[in-house]
Amino acid sequence: MGLGLAWVDGASGFVGQHLTAHLRAAGWDVEEASVRAGRPVAVPRGATVFHLAGLAHDAGADGRALMRANRDLTLAVYEAAVQAQARAFVHVSSATVLGGGHDVPADERAPRNPIGAYAVSKAEAEVSLQEAAGGVPVAIVRPPLVYGAGVKANFLRLLGWIARRRPVPVVANAGRRSLISVANLTHALDAIARATPTQEPCRIWHVRDGEDVAFDELCRRLGDVLGAPARTWRVPQPLATLGLGLVREGGGSNPFEALRLDDTSLRCELDWRPLESFGKGLGEVARWFRTIETGP
């Protein structure tokens, strides 16, 4: 017997493509959807909704465009889910709503402190869902930086920079951060969807691989899996931040600022464990990167 209908918006994106493949393999019937702010949304009756659509921090959009795509669209899809008497609503948010400076892992009770237009729009989406929740149970999932085959934006630029053995400015042991592979994220989203509804109308979940690393260590380990030892250049933080402007684009969070998540609730309440280790996840993304650089 199948697990029911999974309705996935944003299915053509990086996470969406992996999620739809995972859900089909796990036994869900999957319907892929494309939604946009300001346009009507139609959710199939009784579906489990996975809401991934929106604008990323590197899209070059201004604050109003981000708010329409990330807050207003989220609320519109949720309202459509309520009208369709959906089974559950799983919203993929972002750990950036917490801000930085979390040297001690932050659990789901940590206050929001978004910095930058993207993080503010994601935080506003969470608040809107919490206020509207009741008609359909809501799960808000906060992934940290997501990597894997097909990754885009700053992580892809960093892979290319290291593979070409260009020097990367770093601050020694600064900015210990949580990450999650796209395989682990899709596995977690599946587990959370199956467990929803819970006794609460709106529940927040933190997800992570299980190993937090500083930026200089991330560069070193990427160099190892790429077969191109990372050329890290240790400098004071102001110079490192300035130098990373060569690698990074958009309004992404500062890699030298700690952002660690506590995923105890997910592991203890749902008995969830990552499909793959951090090291294996890095190996997978390196293998994919080599195929796009040299061809299959």
Side-chain angles (χ1 to χ4, degrees), residues 76-103:
V77 176
Y78 180 70
E79 289 171 349
V82 172
Q83 291 177 359
Q85 296 182 338
R87 175 187 163 273
F89 188 91
V90 181
H91 169 59
V92 180
S93 184
S94 168
T96 61
V97 302
L98 299 172
H102 291 279
D103 293 300

Side-chain angles (χ1 to χ4, degrees), residues 227-242:
R231 298 178 60 195
T232 55
W233 173 32
R234 294 188 176 184
V235 296
Q237 183 159 331
L239 288 178
T241 302
L242 182 64

Side-chain angles (χ1 to χ4, degrees), residues 43-122:
V43 172
R45 194 169 188 83
T48 297
V49 175
F50 292 84
H51 177 57
L52 281 69
L55 283 178
H57 61 75
D58 62 335
D62 62 21
R64 282 188 290 184
L66 286 164
M67 202 66 76
R68 285 194 301 271
N70 294 336
R71 180 195 63 190
D72 299 348
L73 180 59
T74 298
L75 190 56
V77 176
Y78 180 70
E79 289 171 349
V82 172
Q83 291 177 359
Q85 296 182 338
R87 175 187 163 273
F89 188 91
V90 181
H91 169 59
V92 180
S93 184
S94 168
T96 61
V97 302
L98 299 172
H102 291 279
D103 293 300
V104 175
D107 66 18
E108 293 84 351
R109 297 167 296 179
R112 299 180 185 92
N113 183 31
I115 299 171
Y118 169 75
V120 168
S121 70
K122 297 297 279 188

